[in-house]
Amino acid sequence: QKEVEQNSGPLSVPEGAIASLNCTYSDRGSQSFFWYRQYSGKSPELIMFIYSNGDKEDGRFTAQLNKASQYVSLLIRDSQPSDSATYLCAVFSSGSARQLTFGSGTQLTVLP
Amino acid sequence: GAVVSQHPSRVICKSGTSVKIECRSLDFQATTMFWYRQFPKKSLMLMATSNEGSKATYEQGVEKDKFLINHASLTLSTLTVTSAHPEDSSFYICSANKRTGNPYEQYFGPGTRLTVT
């Protein structure tokens, strides 16, 4: 069974700090990796995606992928209270189903 | 852009009745649409995958006769919860792949909150 694991948190960081969110996955055939942000009562919104090993930066967000370790992370620099949300890691499974497998999410709180 | 809408955003129904939820891709054609269910403080659980013009593929444990999915066009998929019960109360979210573009990227609708009394 393909699994995506995240620490559920809650993770609290002070405003301006770096928030680090981690995710591991079990399917070595996974091809692409996504981070979604979900505010309470809302649907997920895509923050970043990464396909290749290494780092990918977009503004205050950096995604890191290590396929050998089956590990993907999201760093949020200069965290703001508006970043407080649940962050979902999602992995695109191999095969023709085009399915995303989601982790359980990490709840992040940025303290003013 | 890639906008997906859902209707209704909230619905309350009585136990035993049926509820239809619509998912539309507003500015693109969707090859595939996905239906998820999310219980409070839980992650998204894929219920089924639907391709335009063909039968939906349901995930293990999801009753296809209870959750009817119709994907009649490249811009519309519907989920009907038949004979709803209180345990079906949940947040239902659809997503769509663009017909053109990256097949890995899904665009999510705003979700439908279903409450069965």
Side-chain angles (χ1 to χ4, degrees):
Chain A
Q1 185 171 347
K2 299 167 184 173
E3 294 183 350
V4 178
E5 301 285 343
Q6 293 181 254
N7 289 328
S8 61
L11 172 66
S12 294
V13 300
E15 185 174 356
I18 296 175
S20 177
L21 305 164
N22 304 315
C23 174
T24 59
Y25 58 95
S26 63
D27 181 12
R28 283 197 171 275
S30 299
Q31 300 166 327
S32 51
F33 309 86
F34 301 82
W35 283 100
Y36 287 86
R37 177 174 62 196
Q38 186 176 26
Y39 293 111
S40 181
K42 303 294 184 182
S43 66
E45 55 178 323
L46 182 66
I47 298 176
M48 290 194 69
F49 56 88
I50 185 167
Y51 305 142
S52 304
N53 275 328
D55 295 359
K56 180 182 179 182
E57 186 175 318
D58 184 0
R60 295 187 295 114
F61 300 97
T62 299
Q64 299 174 319
L65 175 61
N66 184 326
K67 290 187 177 181
S69 301
Q70 296 176 240
Y71 175 90
V72 58
S73 65
L74 179 70
L75 300 178
I76 307 175
R77 290 182 300 280
D78 189 24
S79 296
Q80 301 297 310
S82 59
D83 295 327
S84 298
T86 296
Y87 288 81
L88 300 169
C89 172
V91 175
F92 186 85
S93 61
S94 55
S96 60
R98 298 186 172 189
Q99 294 179 358
L100 280 176
T101 302
F102 284 85
S104 57
T106 299
Q107 185 180 342
L108 172 67
T109 301
V110 180
L111 304 171
Chain B
V3 181
V4 176
S5 70
Q6 280 184 244
H7 178 80
S9 57
R10 289 178 179 270
V11 58
I12 301 173
C13 70
K14 292 186 177 181
S15 186
T17 61
S18 295
V19 174
K20 180 185 284 189
I21 302 170
E22 291 187 350
C23 176
R24 292 182 185 271
S25 55
L26 298 184
D27 53 357
F28 67 98
Q29 291 183 328
T31 309
T32 307
M33 286 186 169
F34 303 87
W35 286 96
Y36 294 87
R37 179 169 53 184
Q38 187 178 34
F39 292 107
K41 299 191 183 298
K42 300 293 184 182
S43 191
L44 280 73
M45 298 300 296
L46 180 66
M47 299 175 66
T49 303
S50 73
N51 294 293
E52 184 263 342
S54 62
K55 290 184 178 180
T57 302
Y58 290 81
E59 294 302 298
Q60 191 174 6
V62 178
E63 300 175 57
K64 63 179 181 180
D65 294 331
K66 180 170 181 62
F67 298 99
L68 300 178
I69 292 173
N70 184 284
H71 194 156
S73 75
L74 284 171
T75 60
L76 173 64
S77 177
T78 60
L79 168 68
T80 301
V81 183
T82 62
S83 186
H85 289 98
E87 57 264 31
D88 297 324
S89 299
S90 188
F91 192 43
Y92 291 86
I93 308 173
C94 73
S95 70
N97 275 141
K98 278 185 176 181
R99 188 178 187 186
T100 56
N102 195 320
Y104 304 147
E105 293 182 38
Q106 292 187 19
Y107 300 91
F108 283 85
T112 296
R113 177 79 57 191
L114 170 63
T115 303
V116 184
T117 61

